[in-house]
Amino acid sequence: MTDSVVAHPPFPARRGAARATTWWGKAWVRAVEEAAYAESDLRRARSLARQGAVGGISLTAGRMVAAVADEHGLFTVDCRVPVLDAEALATLVETVAAESGRIGALLAHELPHGLVEHAEEAGVELLPFGTELEAACTCVGWLDPCPHALAVLSQTAWILDADPLALIHLRGLPRDDLLARLHARSTRASAHESGADDLDATVDLAADASARATRILDLLDSDSPFDHLL
C-alpha cells in the first residue's frame, strides 16, 4: 500500500444548510454527530464549514488534515479514522470484485448499497462509527473533537459525496492501489483458467495414449491371425 496523499482545495462559502446529499455522505455525517459532545459544537462546526473557514483538506489513509480559521486565529486540525488491517483490505478487494458492476459504479462516483452490505457481512466496516473518529487541534479547547475538527469532518462528507473512493482511501486503500489489486486478481484468474485448460488438454492426450497402449498390448496377447508375421 502506498502512502498516497490527495489534497482537496478549500470549499468556497456556501449558503443554506450545505448538508451531505448522498446516502454514504449522510452516514458519515451521522458518525460526526455521534462524535460531537454537544449540539452547540455541531452548530459552530457547520457554521465554520459553510463560511469557508476550512482550508484545503489533505486526505490520506486514516487521516484528514486542514487549517481552520476563526475570530481567534488559525488552527491546524488532524482528524483520524482507523484503517483496515491487511486481511480486511483483502476481503474488501474481493467484495468489490464479487460483482462486475461495482468497480464501474465506484469510478462513476457511486457507492452501491450491496457493496457496503456485502462487506459488513464479511466483517469489514467501511462507514465509521462516531467512536472511531478522533482529532487533535492546536486550539486551546479541551474537547476532542473540538468545533474546528468537527468542521473538517463535516467538509469531509462533501468530499465523500463527490467521490466515494475517498472513503475507501481513508480506510487504507487508495484508488490506484485498489485498481492495481483488482487488475492483479483478474490476471491471476485468467492465468488459472488458461492453466486449467492446458491441464485438461494434457489429461485428454494422456488418457488417449494410455487407451492406445492398452489396445496394442491386448492385440499382442491375443491369438491374432497376424501372429505368423511376427
Side-chain angles (χ1 to χ4, degrees), residues 62-114:
R63 297 181 68 186
M64 298 138 280
V65 179
V68 181
D70 66 9
E71 65 275 14
H72 300 295
L74 182 66
F75 307 101
T76 300
V77 175
D78 187 351
C79 300
R80 302 293 181 105
V81 64
V83 298
L84 301 174
D85 61 26
E87 182 178 354
L89 289 177
T91 300
L92 177 58
V93 172
E94 291 300 315
T95 303
V96 174
E99 291 188 10
S100 59
R102 286 177 176 173
I103 186 58
L106 287 170
L107 293 174
H109 310 305
E110 293 289 334
L111 181 60
H113 273 282

Side-chain angles (χ1 to χ4, degrees), residues 146-229:
C146 66
H148 304 114
L150 291 170
V152 174
L153 290 169
S154 295
Q155 283 202 357
T156 299
W158 305 350
I159 294 173
L160 303 187
D161 264 347
D163 186 5
L165 282 170
L167 174 61
I168 297 178
H169 187 169
L170 277 172
R171 285 304 208 177
L173 195 58
R175 177 183 183 277
D176 289 347
D177 284 4
L178 172 62
L179 295 178
R181 289 193 185 206
L182 289 170
H183 176 72
R185 181 187 181 280
S186 177
T187 300
R188 287 194 302 270
S190 297
H192 176 74
E193 291 174 2
S194 175
D197 292 341
D198 291 343
L199 178 60
D200 289 342
T202 301
V203 170
D204 289 341
L205 288 172
D208 182 64
S210 176
R212 289 174 182 272
T214 300
R215 178 58 178 161
I216 290 172
L217 289 174
D218 289 342
L219 289 173
L220 290 174
D221 290 338
S222 66
D223 294 329
S224 171
F226 301 104
D227 285 347
H228 67 284
L229 297 176

Side-chain angles (χ1 to χ4, degrees), residues 28-29 38 42 51 57 66 96 111 115 128 158 190 194-195:
W28 178 273
V29 169
L42 284 171
Q51 292 170 9
I57 298 176
V96 174
L111 181 60
L115 191 162
W158 305 350
S190 297
S194 175

